[in-house]
Structures are given as structure tokens and as C-alpha cells.
Amino acid sequence: EGARFAEATNINTSLTTLARVISALGSSSGKKSGTGVTHIPFRESTLTLLLRNSFEGRSCTSVVINCSSDPEHKEETQCSLRFGSRVAVVKTEAAVEVATDIGREREILIEQLEQLKARQQELIKKGQHGHAPPDWRNPTERASMLENMKREEEYKDELKRLNTEIIECKGRGEKVPVSLARKAESVRKLHDNVRDLAERQKTVPRVRGSAATLWSEPTVVYTRVVTEITELEHKIAMLDI
């Protein structure tokens, strides 16, 4: 009763799900159907979720079936043997994990990063990056927009630093200081305000009635290169941890 009953119920549920997983893996229901969909109920219990890599991953898995010759255990033995016959149908493919040369991988990533940055500079020279053309008729408005964009980046960096401090406090199990939380919220509002202002300024026409605006958006190619640079820098940073 009570905790023991709940424990027994959970065990039986996990074993039932395990049996369903084994059946799905070993029968046509576990293979790709005409719709190209495969469903193995690994996530329906903690036990099967933990065993997922053993049955589906690159591993060599052994299953031991316990049997008894005593007549009183006849039903349990037959049940275990039926389960064993279903498990025997499941095929796994073991693979040797090759150690990664972190130093060499880092060198390759840095080389790729340098190539992308060189490509980025080429695109900037061609005017494919986001920029404010220098021939703007109203230099005061142009200067104001560029200043707001600069402030936006400064607030963004400051907010990132404050959020990092907050995460570190939570990671140490400490209570986040009220002053730190308030400062982060204040910087966030300042960042949002100046960002919205800069975005509005970007849409101001160079000449009244003209489609050309104060800010020229970056091309798709330039944006893709910047995204790839960011991803590579993140990968390199993770290798340095």
C-alpha cells in the first residue's frame, strides 16, 4: 500500500512500455511504413528512454533472461522466454568511437573562420553590408541614426553582461540581488527604446517620395556569411571550455 503500491505500479508500467518498444523494434510496426514514419515509444517511460541508445544507438547490447525449472515459476519462465525471443529479433550495430583531436579541429575551424571573415570584407567593399549611404541629404538625421545604432549595441552588450551575472547567481544557488535585477530591467528598456528609434530612422526616405531610405539593408549573402561566422565563433569558444 501507499509508496510500495505506487512503486510497483511504476515498475509494471515501465516493463509494459519496454515490451511495446521491443515489439515495435522487432516487427514491421517498428519499421518505416508507407508514409515514411517510424514510431518507437521510447519516451513513454523513463526506463525505455534510458535504454534508447542500447537498443537503437551504436552499441552492442546483451540481454540476460532468467529462467527457473521449478513448476511454481512456470508462468514467469514462459513469459521471460517469450520476451527473450522478441528481443533476439532486434538488431543493433556496434561502432567504434574515434577520439577527436581537439587541437586539430580548432585549427580547421579557425581557418574556416578566417576565410569567412575575408569573404565578409569583400562583401563590405561591394556595399552589400547594412550601411547608411554617405550621400544623404540631411547629415544631421544620418548622424543621429548612427549614434542610436551605436548606443543600441552598447546597451545590448551591457544587458548581456548583466544577464550573465544573473545566471551565475542562480547557478550558485544564490538569490539574485534586487539592484542587479532592476539594473538589468532598466538597461533592457533603454535598449528597446533606442532600438525602436533607430529602426524608425532607417525607414526615412533620402528624398521625399523616393523609395531609397536612409539605411540600406544587407544582402542575403552578407547576412548568411555573418551567421556562419557567429556559429563558427561559438564552436571555437565551446572547444576552449
Side-chain angles (χ1 to χ4, degrees), residues 10 21 23 38 41 44 59 68 70 82 95 103 105 117 145-146 175 177 184 186-187 195 197 206 211 235:
N10 290 333
V21 166
S23 296
T38 301
E44 293 186 12
S59 60
S68 174
D70 294 338
R82 285 194 295 269
E105 184 176 354
K117 286 187 175 182
M145 182 196 69
L146 294 175
K175 185 178 180 180
S186 175
V187 172
R195 179 200 60 199
L197 178 58
R206 295 191 204 174
K235 289 180 180 179

Side-chain angles (χ1 to χ4, degrees), residues 5 11-12 27 65 73 85 89 92 118 172 181 206 232 235:
F5 177 77
I11 291 174
N12 288 334
S27 66
I65 303 297
H73 299 304
S85 64
V89 179
T92 58
R172 293 191 298 266
R206 295 191 204 174
L232 279 177
K235 289 180 180 179

Side-chain angles (χ1 to χ4, degrees), residues 125-234:
K125 291 179 181 179
K126 294 179 180 179
Q128 295 191 29
H129 63 302
H131 65 289
D135 61 344
W136 173 240
R137 302 285 180 90
N138 187 344
T140 303
E141 187 73 21
R142 178 177 183 273
S144 173
M145 182 196 69
L146 294 175
E147 177 62 25
N148 285 331
M149 291 176 66
K150 179 182 177 182
R151 290 169 58 202
E152 178 189 351
E153 288 301 317
E154 291 174 349
Y155 286 137
K156 183 178 179 180
D157 292 339
E158 177 68 7
L159 184 59
K160 183 178 180 181
R161 184 185 65 80
L162 293 171
N163 285 335
T164 299
E165 290 185 20
I166 292 174
I167 292 173
E168 290 176 349
C169 283
K170 292 180 178 179
R172 293 191 298 266
E174 301 174 358
K175 185 178 180 180
V176 178
V178 176
S179 58
L180 178 59
R182 286 178 177 174
K183 186 175 182 180
E185 179 62 18
S186 175
V187 172
R188 184 189 66 77
K189 290 180 179 179
L190 290 171
H191 168 269
D192 292 349
N193 289 337
V194 75
R195 179 200 60 199
D196 294 343
L197 178 58
E199 289 300 319
R200 287 195 297 271
Q201 290 176 315
K202 288 180 181 180
T203 63
V204 174
R206 295 191 204 174
V207 181
R208 183 171 297 179
S210 172
T213 58
L214 176 60
W215 179 256
S216 295
E217 293 293 339
T219 63
V220 175
V221 175
Y222 182 83
T223 302
R224 183 168 62 246
V225 169
V226 172
T227 300
E228 292 176 356
I229 287 175
T230 302
E231 291 176 352
L232 279 177
E233 288 177 338
H234 177 70

Side-chain angles (χ1 to χ4, degrees), residues 71-142:
E72 60 179 315
H73 299 304
K74 176 182 176 181
E75 292 184 3
E76 288 83 357
T77 296
Q78 289 178 337
C79 182
S80 296
L81 290 173
R82 285 194 295 269
F83 176 75
S85 64
R86 291 197 298 271
V87 173
V89 179
V90 179
K91 303 296 181 183
T92 58
E93 296 181 2
V96 178
E97 294 290 344
V98 180
T100 303
D101 186 342
I102 302 298
R104 177 54 183 160
E105 184 176 354
R106 190 175 187 278
E107 290 177 0
I108 293 174
L109 292 177
I110 290 177
E111 182 178 348
Q112 294 175 352
L113 180 61
E114 291 175 349
Q115 293 174 355
L116 282 173
K117 286 187 175 182
R119 173 62 172 159
Q120 181 186 26
Q121 292 304 314
E122 292 177 2
L123 295 174
I124 290 176
K125 291 179 181 179
K126 294 179 180 179
Q128 295 191 29
H129 63 302
H131 65 289
D135 61 344
W136 173 240
R137 302 285 180 90
N138 187 344
T140 303
E141 187 73 21
R142 178 177 183 273

